Amino acid sequence: MRRPLENRIAVVTGGARGLGRGIARRLADDGARVIVWDIAPAAFDPVTAGFDPLAMIRVDVTDEAAVAAAAEESLTHGAVSILVNNAGMNGPVKQVADYDYATWRKVMAVNLDSVFLVSRAFVPRMVAEGHGRIVNVASIAGKEGVPGIAAYASAKAGVIGFTKSLARELVTTGVTVNAVAPVMVETDLLKEMTPEHIAASKAKIPMQRFLTIEELAGVVAFAAGPDCSFTTGFTFDASGGRATY
Ligand SMILES: NC(=O)c1ccc[n+]([C@@H]2O[C@H](COP(=O)([O-])OP(=O)(O)OC[C@H]3O[C@@H](n4cnc5c(N)ncnc54)[C@H](O)[C@@H]3O)[C@@H](O)[C@H]2O)c1
């Protein structure tokens, strides 16, 4: 079996369940030793997940000091050369006129501030090693905008802008920074959505089905791997033909 990530250490945020867990499993299958970060690590079970993490760290990715401490702890295992910023939350489905500011701030913090904080914590060591792969989980919502989830869509558009900017800062260092923009996958994220919102999202996918966790994990594994050496600042599409850009 091909194990392109052998001898690599990866951190996956929000890796206890859902997409993060599937991504972590795929990276582990490809040979990486994976450190899972999550605010709720109790959701993780290695048997269901299908791999044993190198470490599991309880951390709130919106807490600057906690992120710095978790990064320091992660680096005691060796150079972390793959970072997947996956932790995120949807927030309620509500029109902008009805959306409260505290919820807006929280959705921004979990989806966007976290990507800045966690990337900042690992970039210096990646640059010193001359190698790194940062993969940010954005969303189709960040490319297109979606009614009812303006906070989420704005945060994910911010993730795409951050990805392009950091990629350009690091372009000669050996560290690539890319994003993925998935459409809907059936995970716990959907619990905050209304049935109408879910049905409308599915109807917009030309392949007429949801994306699977394994399909997205495959895209992330490419962006995190050695073959993705000449692509940086890019947002990989995983939309079943919805976004052809
Ligand atoms: N499921 C979808 O349809 C879909 C579509 C596009 C993008 N995404 C994105 O994919 C990512 C993963 O989503 P998911 O569907 O697996 O959701 P999920 O709710 O199943 O999992 C999110 C994980 O992030 C963790 N998390 C949340 N807040 C955190 C915090 N402050 N600190 C640390 N960990 C935290 C949760 O505990 C959980 O393990 C998110 O960024 C989401 O926006 C999901």
Side-chain angles (χ1 to χ4, degrees), residues 8-94:
R8 297 278 178 215
I9 298 177
V11 164
V12 179
T13 71
R17 65 165 197 246
L19 287 177
R21 186 177 66 188
I23 290 165
R25 184 199 175 139
R26 172 62 195 264
L27 299 184
D29 286 349
D30 284 358
R33 290 181 295 152
V34 183
I35 302 173
V36 172
W37 287 24
D38 208 289
I39 198 169
F44 185 84
D45 160 39
V47 176
T48 321
F51 74 101
D52 277 312
L54 175 59
M56 167 70 73
I57 300 180
R58 190 191 177 288
V59 55
D60 176 352
V61 290
T62 69
D63 179 333
E64 183 178 11
V67 166
E72 200 175 318
E73 184 182 339
S74 300
L75 289 165
T76 62
H77 296 280
V80 171
S81 56
I82 298 168
L83 167 63
V84 183
N85 282 308
N86 161 81
M89 65 175 287
N90 190 73
V93 180
K94 277 186 181 175

Side-chain angles (χ1 to χ4, degrees), residues 84-157:
V84 183
N85 282 308
N86 161 81
M89 65 175 287
N90 190 73
V93 180
K94 277 186 181 175
Q95 303 291 300
V96 169
D98 302 322
Y99 213 91
D100 71 272
Y101 184 49
T103 309
W104 170 277
R105 286 276 9 122
K106 167 106 180 149
V107 172
M108 285 294 159
V110 175
N111 290 297
L112 178 58
D113 298 9
S114 65
V115 177
F116 157 69
L117 289 172
V118 184
S119 300
R120 189 183 63 171
F122 286 106
V123 158
R125 179 69 183 268
M126 288 182 176
V127 170
E129 298 284 333
H131 177 84
R133 296 279 184 269
I134 298 176
V135 186
N136 300 322
V137 180
S139 168
I140 184 80
K143 281 185 173 181
E144 292 196 351
V146 177
I149 54 167
Y152 180 79
S154 304
K156 294 299 192 182

